[in-house]
Amino acid sequence: MDFTSAAAMAAQCCCRKAPGAEAAPARPPPEPPPALDVASASSAQLFRLRHLQLGLELRPEARELAGCLVLELCARRPAPRALVLDAHPALRLHSAAFRRAPAAAGESPCAFAFAAPGPSPAPPPPLPAFPEAPGAEPACCPLAFRVDPFTDYGSSLTVTLPPELQAHQPFQVILRYTSTDAPAIWWLDPELTYGSAKPFVFTQGHSVCNRSFFPCFDTPAVKCTYSAVVKAPSGVQVLMSATQSTYVEEEGVYRFHMEHPVPAYLVALVAGDLQPADIGPRSRVWAEPCLLPTATSKLSGAVEQWLSAAERLYGPYLWGRYDIVFLPPSFPIVAMENPCLTFIISSILESDEFLIIDVIHEVAHSWFGNAVTNATWEEMWLSEGLATYAQRRITTETYGAAFTCLETAFRLDALHRQMKVLGEDSPVSKLQVKLEPGVNPSHLMNLFTYEKGYCFVYYLSQLCGDPQRFDSFLRVSSRLPETGPAYVEKYKFTSVVAQDLLDSFLTFFPELKEQSVDCRAGLEFERWLNATGPPLAEPDLSQGSSLTRPVEALFQLWTAEPLDQAAASASTIDISKWRTFQTALFLDRLLDGSPLPQEVVMSLSKCYSSLLDSMNAEIRIRWLQIVVRNDYYPDLHRVRRFLESQMSRMYTIPLYEDLCTGALKSFALEVFYQTQGRLHPNLRRTIQQILSQGLGPGTEPSVEQGGAGADSEVDTDAPALLLGDEAPGSAISLRDVNVSA
């Protein structure tokens, strides 16, 4: 244990009278403490977080972020001995200090002084500068702190507080730190971007990574407003998930402010060679210059159409702007719903239907996940299940029921595939998953969170007898019905547990409560939440039969005998006119049946290989997985070409996993050696782990100089986005959980 005092802060100021000596402020109405979260080491239940301010300096050459964090808090009870925050070994804390705060949160924003460039190899973190009334006494004093182990994904930071602190008295804690090799902060050399011109950095906080970005209450149960001042190298554009942003040219800094309370994991930053283009009255896309025309052409006008449809269903959009930034292929997931600024992987641009679904899903999160958030990671379905339901209501409004049913069938197919692998008794198939202490909550993110959660929400909507009635329950509403406020209206900018949703539902629909719909045999709400296995009921997808029936018919042809006759019949069906989800569903069915008879694979290749090779990556990867799982050597050159052109986790990991579970390990090693220099160190390390499975002692694949070695700790802490993501060779592939956060 290392107790350290804030010597640098003490040199600036000191306390001349005991903190808390003045009269106690008027006590505000009591607020319930946040839900207990076993994934957080923090003492969040003892404090009310009012606002946080960040002063950040990006240092890409050193792959380091230097920060100053100002937390504005109130104690819920008198004389708390210490403040405990979530932190991470990647954070090096330089100092901690205490300051009395103004009565109103964020009333006196501080400025930050950044170290001037110089010969010093390690300039200090930014210094805060608070506005003081003339003649006022300095109000800062140093605090002792210590850092203790917590789990393999974080540490606990304990800051000793002054002894006479009164309940509900506003105060500030100032922490200066540097962060290196943090799992939340992804540094990219120019070579890993599309333009290869400037360094790039982005953060990814979901689920518990932002404790390596800044010390915090890293739990979705706690929300607050935030502001930030960011200094970056010249020519680098900085964006954050904030409602307001400005660039102060004379200071060379970006200023941001988020006016609505958000949990720590939704504080997000991206910086690089980014340019904007307006695509609607309240939306723009940001992308590297070479990608901007494509991004603009695909989304111009569409995002406003989706936002307007969402508002018709669920009430006003609460966040002002809805912008999208396209990130390089190193982005570890498909998309992230950071408020006001959706992060999305640029690789998805070539797959139009997946792009549509992914962006609409993030739009839906503006109501479900961002405005109303699950209070613990054990109930992620409250965000993901509701967002998936809302996404499908939006797509039904804009693209029709048939398309929505097709996409739903595609996802439910993947859910049942995952269930076959895990078994129906798997505890992670529950909606209310028990998170054991020390387990990374990211491991709980799977298709049950999305699709089983969706099925439960769909079931609730069916109980109403009319989807529009259920929409009226969910929405933000300017007028209150006799039964009380609607769900989002009641809980906006707070965090909830499942009981909050279900109690509100039964209160809003008293006739359903009288009918005891929560206790119907076999469909009890409690059983929905806590039973393992498949959804208790699934939606009627018959409105999509015009799109799903041809897929089923073609699959049946290819599995029928005699093969010659079946292949001849199949060749008359022109899949080039199919929707992407139809072709993907067909290929997924073939994948489920692999290995196939060799003559079937030969006929499939003759019929489809060249055609599929011209389609988008979501189609190509599925065909190439069929090639690999069936050891079909004539098409192996297509696998090589695909891996040579892909730098994205979602398009490389599934193929390497399949290559290494069959007879093609040497081929996989050869391709990896040729392409590893173009991969992010984290991805490089993951593929290296996959390749190591089954290889003899001393044959572990090496990584190029300057590769994953320095970042191996980052990789182990990176979000495990799906079951098996850290278990190479798992039968659950990224194609089965290709979902947004």
Side-chain angles (χ1 to χ4, degrees):
M1 294 184 185
D2 177 26
F3 279 84
T4 311
S5 64
M9 192 66 70
Q12 283 192 309
C13 55
C14 61
C15 291
R16 297 188 181 178
K17 60 180 178 180
E22 66 272 14
R27 180 171 179 169
E31 294 180 6
L36 186 64
D37 184 351
V38 297
S40 173
S42 73
S43 54
Q45 291 194 310
L46 303 181
F47 299 90
R48 183 167 67 90
L49 179 59
R50 309 189 314 156
H51 186 73
L52 68 84
Q53 301 181 64
L54 286 164
L56 305 172
E57 182 177 2
L58 306 180
R59 300 171 178 172
E61 289 187 4
R63 290 177 172 250
E64 177 182 87
L65 178 141
C68 180
L69 169 69
V70 181
L71 293 170
E72 298 187 18
L73 306 127
C74 289
R76 294 183 184 273
R77 65 189 187 198
R81 298 181 60 186
L83 169 70
V84 183
L85 299 169
D86 291 303
H88 192 275
L91 282 178
R92 178 184 168 228
L93 203 64
H94 291 243
S95 63
F98 174 94
R99 178 179 182 269
R100 287 182 294 277
E107 188 175 87
S108 59
C110 69
F112 294 94
F114 296 91
S120 172
L127 283 167
F130 298 98
E132 299 286 357
E137 302 177 44
C140 294
C141 64
L143 299 175
F145 62 86
R146 76 169 188 264
V147 178
D148 296 310
F150 175 58
T151 63
D152 62 358
Y153 56 84
S155 310
S156 67
L157 167 62
T158 302
V159 181
T160 303
L161 294 175
E164 298 179 24
L165 194 64
Q166 298 181 20
H168 310 292
Q169 174 192 351
F171 67 95
Q172 294 175 331
V173 170
I174 302 107
L175 304 172
R176 298 173 65 227
Y177 66 95
T178 51
S179 185
T180 309
D181 289 340
I185 306 171
W186 292 63
W187 300 96
L188 277 61
D189 293 329
E191 297 76 29
L192 292 179
T193 68
Y194 283 101
S196 302
K198 296 176 183 176
F200 201 101
V201 62
F202 61 84
T203 65
Q204 172 56 22
H206 197 287
S207 303
V208 288
C209 288
N210 263 4
R211 60 191 67 186
S212 68
F213 181 10
F214 56 93
C216 56
F217 293 149
D218 199 2
T219 168
V222 175
K223 293 185 172 185
C224 75
T225 56
Y226 82 87
S227 54
V229 179
V230 184
K231 185 176 179 61
S234 176
V236 171
Q237 174 71 50
V238 182
L239 306 171
M240 288 192 77
S241 54
T243 49
Q244 301 170 29
S245 62
T246 56
Y247 177 64
V248 186
E249 189 169 357
E250 58 271 21
E251 298 177 31
V253 298
Y254 292 86
R255 294 186 180 275
F256 302 94
H257 181 73
M258 168 53 79
E259 63 188 89
H260 303 303
V262 295
Y265 78 89
L266 289 179
V267 178
L269 176 148
V270 59
D273 186 14
L274 295 167
Q275 292 185 359
D278 288 336
I279 55 170
R282 48 183 162 171
S283 301
R284 65 171 56 105
V285 291
W286 292 85
E288 292 185 63
C290 59
L291 290 177
L292 193 60
T294 301
T296 304
S297 66
K298 299 218 172 192
L299 292 175
S300 185
V303 171
E304 182 59 30
Q305 181 186 15
W306 302 332
L307 284 169
S308 297
E311 288 183 314
R312 289 193 297 272
L313 293 167
Y314 303 118
Y317 177 72
L318 299 169
W319 303 92
R321 293 198 60 80
Y322 184 88
D323 294 342
I324 299 171
V325 58
F326 284 93
L327 302 180
S330 299
F331 188 52
I333 58 176
V334 179
M336 182 64 205
E337 67 272 16
N338 300 310
C340 307
L341 185 68
T342 286
F343 284 19
I344 191 162
I345 193 167
S346 51
S347 312
I348 208 72
L349 274 169
E350 66 172 280
S351 306
D352 288 358
E353 289 180 23
F354 281 82
L355 175 66
I356 288 169
I357 293 300
D358 289 327
V359 176
I360 292 178
H361 184 84
E362 306 315 314
V363 166
H365 268 309
S366 302
W367 286 261
F368 309 103
N370 294 1
V372 184
T373 308
N374 47 278
T376 75
W377 295 119
E378 294 173 317
E379 294 188 323
M380 272 192 274
W381 75 272
L382 282 169
S383 292
E384 297 300 347
L386 278 160
T388 302
Y389 177 84
Q391 161 213 309
R392 289 174 180 153
R393 290 288 292 127
I394 296 167
T395 58
T396 299
E397 289 289 306
T398 51
Y399 298 103
F403 175 74
T404 299
C405 289
L406 170 64
E407 185 268 334
T408 305
F410 170 77
R411 299 295 190 193
L412 289 176
D413 221 42
L415 175 70
H416 289 287
R417 184 180 308 117
Q418 191 171 98
M419 201 172 316
K420 286 179 183 177
V421 174
L422 294 173
E424 293 196 1
D425 294 331
S426 172
V428 299
S429 64
K430 296 181 180 181
L431 290 184
Q432 282 186 332
V433 185
K434 176 66 175 174
L435 182 63
E436 298 297 334
V439 175
N440 191 320
S442 296
H443 293 171
L444 304 181
M445 197 168 185
N446 55 58
L447 276 175
F448 296 99
T449 302
Y450 293 79
E451 298 303 335
K452 190 173 181 179
Y454 159 75
C455 288
F456 184 29
V457 177
Y458 181 86
Y459 171 70
L460 295 177
S461 76
Q462 294 301 106
L463 290 175
C464 300
D466 181 357
Q468 285 75 26
R469 289 190 72 210
F470 190 64
D471 294 337
S472 69
F473 159 66
L474 291 176
R475 65 184 284 116
V476 180
S477 179
S478 56
R479 56 187 179 84
L480 302 183
E482 293 180 1
T483 53
Y487 175 69
V488 178
E489 180 64 32
K490 181 177 181 178
Y491 292 111
K492 63 186 177 186
F493 307 128
T494 67
S495 301
V496 299
V497 296
Q499 203 59 49
D500 294 324
L501 170 67
L502 299 177
D503 287 348
S504 295
F505 175 75
L506 294 175
T507 300
F508 198 89
F509 299 109
E511 72 279 10
L512 298 180
K513 185 174 184 178
E514 290 176 6
Q515 297 168 23
S516 299
V517 295
D518 56 324
C519 299
R520 285 185 178 174
L523 292 167
E524 300 89 345
F525 288 2
E526 189 278 334
R527 187 174 178 187
W528 269 103
L529 296 176
N530 291 300
T532 61
L536 302 183
E538 293 188 7
D540 176 10
L541 302 179
S542 59
Q543 288 182 284
S545 61
S546 62
L547 298 175
T548 55
R549 196 183 300 117
V551 175
E552 187 62 36
L554 184 60
F555 174 71
Q556 293 298 333
L557 281 174
W558 280 108
T559 53
E561 293 183 355
L563 177 61
D564 291 346
Q565 183 178 336
S569 300
S571 64
T572 64
I573 299 175
D574 184 6
I575 67 170
S576 68
K577 293 182 171 58
W578 277 11
R579 290 184 174 272
T580 292
F581 281 117
Q582 288 179 287
T583 308
L585 183 61
F586 168 61
L587 295 175
D588 277 350
R589 297 281 174 87
L590 292 173
L591 266 170
D592 291 342
S594 293
L596 300 163
Q598 198 64 198
E599 60 271 19
V600 172
V601 181
M602 290 176 61
S603 295
L604 284 167
S605 177
K606 181 179 178 181
C607 194
Y608 300 125
S609 187
S610 296
L611 173 63
L612 297 174
D613 209 30
S614 66
M615 294 186 180
N616 64 61
E618 290 291 340
I619 299 298
R620 297 202 309 278
I621 190 172
R622 286 168 166 80
W623 168 246
L624 296 177
Q625 285 186 278
I626 293 171
V627 168
V628 170
R629 290 190 189 182
N630 289 277
D631 295 331
Y632 188 65
Y633 288 86
D635 273 356
L636 211 54
H637 67 284
R638 301 184 193 274
V639 178
R640 178 191 298 274
R641 190 169 69 240
F642 185 83
L643 289 174
E644 287 174 346
S645 66
Q646 291 293 336
M647 298 183 289
S648 167
R649 186 181 186 89
M650 66 183 183
Y651 294 139
T652 53
I653 297 294
L655 278 172
Y656 276 109
E657 286 184 333
D658 284 347
L659 286 166
C660 290
T661 56
L664 297 168
K665 290 190 185 72
S666 59
F667 173 83
L669 277 166
E670 179 187 335
V671 175
F672 174 68
Y673 285 136
Q674 292 172 353
T675 60
Q676 60 175 324
R678 298 195 294 275
L679 305 177
H680 188 277
N682 291 356
L683 177 56
R684 213 179 302 163
R685 177 68 176 176
T686 302
I687 296 173
Q688 187 185 23
Q689 292 169 349
I690 293 169
L691 293 170
S692 298
Q693 301 297 308
L695 298 179
T699 59
E700 181 172 328
S702 62
V703 177
E704 286 181 352
Q705 189 71 24
D711 293 276
S712 58
E713 182 177 329
V714 178
D715 187 61
T716 59
D717 283 322
L721 303 175
L722 50 111
L723 298 168
D725 191 36
E726 293 181 350
S730 165
I732 304 171
S733 138
L734 273 172
R735 71 178 176 85
D736 295 335
V737 197
N738 184 11
V739 288
S740 309

